[in-house]
Amino acid sequence: MDTKALRHTLGGFATGVCVITAPDMDHVDGHIVGMTANSFSSVSLAPALVQWCLDLKAHRYAIYAQAPKFGINILSGGQETLSRRFARENAHIIPEEGLISPLHPLRLNNVAAFLACDLYESRMLGDHLVIVGEITQFETDPAQGGLTFFRGKYGQIGASA
């Protein structure tokens, strides 16, 4: 199978964009890591479960694969810069940056929605680790539109950010 053509075909499915946050256990001074993902989806309402997929070759694989808790930050329409930043390697968030909300240690500011999750289950499927989280807290900002990704390009949907 031509994996490049398959990737292009799958890129024809418009998605929202999230930054998954987790504590970096190698740093004791409050460092959080962020990783851009569009492989996020809901699984169940009872129990409240969501999932996302982590490439086995991801630079921060060990951090996310071992994280007992993580945050899913659904980016608002004006947060393309954050998405691009967290798509790069070593996307540490240090407290002095002021990106993290005082409401939760894994929540980014100005996101369209946030889900705090405890690890529920993870399983290797193909070349990804599927991570399922149980939602422990959530919030949404109905005034925010969403950031989208389609065929390699960013867009916006809903209310203007």
Side-chain angles (χ1 to χ4, degrees):
M1 185 175 293
D2 182 345
T3 55
K4 187 174 181 180
L6 176 60
R7 182 179 176 100
H8 181 73
T9 299
L10 294 173
F13 180 68
T15 64
V17 183
C18 302
V19 169
I20 312 296
T21 50
D24 184 349
M25 299 305 188
D26 291 337
H27 290 84
V28 292
D29 54 357
H31 280 226
I32 302 295
V33 292
M35 176 182 284
T36 300
N38 63 355
S39 60
F40 162 75
S41 67
S42 64
V43 174
S44 170
L45 291 176
L49 302 176
V50 293
Q51 70 175 4
W52 71 286
C53 301
L54 176 64
D55 190 318
L56 298 179
K57 298 178 300 236
H59 184 261
R60 291 154 275 176
Y61 178 86
I63 295 170
Y64 284 99
Q66 298 171 20
K69 296 179 179 302
F70 57 91
I72 297 175
N73 294 272
I74 300 172
L75 297 186
S76 63
Q79 294 184 309
E80 179 180 337
T81 301
L82 279 181
S83 175
R84 289 184 184 280
R85 172 186 169 172
F86 294 119
R88 296 189 309 255
E89 295 180 357
N90 291 327
H92 279 88
I93 305 166
I94 56 174
E96 299 79 49
E97 289 182 285
L99 293 177
I100 298 293
S101 168
L103 302 174
H104 194 282
L106 298 175
R107 184 187 184 283
L108 296 173
N109 289 315
N110 305 313
V111 293
F114 171 74
L115 305 160
C117 300
D118 287 342
L119 179 64
Y120 184 82
E121 179 180 336
S122 62
R123 178 176 305 200
M124 272 194 236
L125 294 173
D127 60 1
H128 279 68
L129 180 68
V130 178
I131 299 172
V132 179
E134 184 166 18
I135 300 167
T136 59
Q137 177 186 346
F138 68 94
E139 51 190 88
T140 188
D141 182 351
Q144 296 282 4
L147 185 65
T148 60
F149 197 71
F150 178 70
R151 294 188 176 154
K153 294 185 173 29
Y154 287 96
Q156 296 184 29
I157 191 167
S160 61

